[in-house]
Amino acid sequence: CKGEHTVALALQGRVPCKVRGKVHKGDMLVSAGNGYARPWNNPAMGTVIGKSLENFDGIEGIIEVAVGRL
């Protein structure tokens, strides 16, 4: 479809993901709003974006995440 914006979409694999807050390798990530993800200890079924493949210690940034069957 033609549109105003190009959107990147990943269904499976290792992909970059915008994150907020402190993230540890292996954390399950859920939506933090406005296109960002955040770690969550006990995510509900269907809310997981992916699993963090690296640590992040900043406020906002981009890390690699495993998306798909975890």
Side-chain angles (χ1 to χ4, degrees):
C1 294
K2 289 188 175 185
E4 295 179 22
H5 306 286
T6 302
V7 177
L9 174 67
L11 301 177
Q12 188 171 336
R14 297 168 69 114
V15 297
C17 181
K18 297 190 304 186
V19 293
R20 282 192 177 136
K22 191 171 188 172
V23 178
H24 298 286
K25 185 176 181 178
D27 283 348
M28 300 304 273
L29 301 173
V30 297
S31 176
N34 295 325
Y36 287 87
R38 64 183 170 92
W40 192 251
N41 294 346
N42 192 16
M45 183 74 78
T47 63
V48 176
I49 295 169
K51 183 182 277 189
S52 170
L53 295 176
E54 56 187 291
N55 295 320
F56 180 75
D57 228 2
I59 297 169
E60 291 181 347
I62 297 176
I63 64 169
E64 194 168 58
V65 172
V67 174
R69 301 181 93 181
L70 304 173

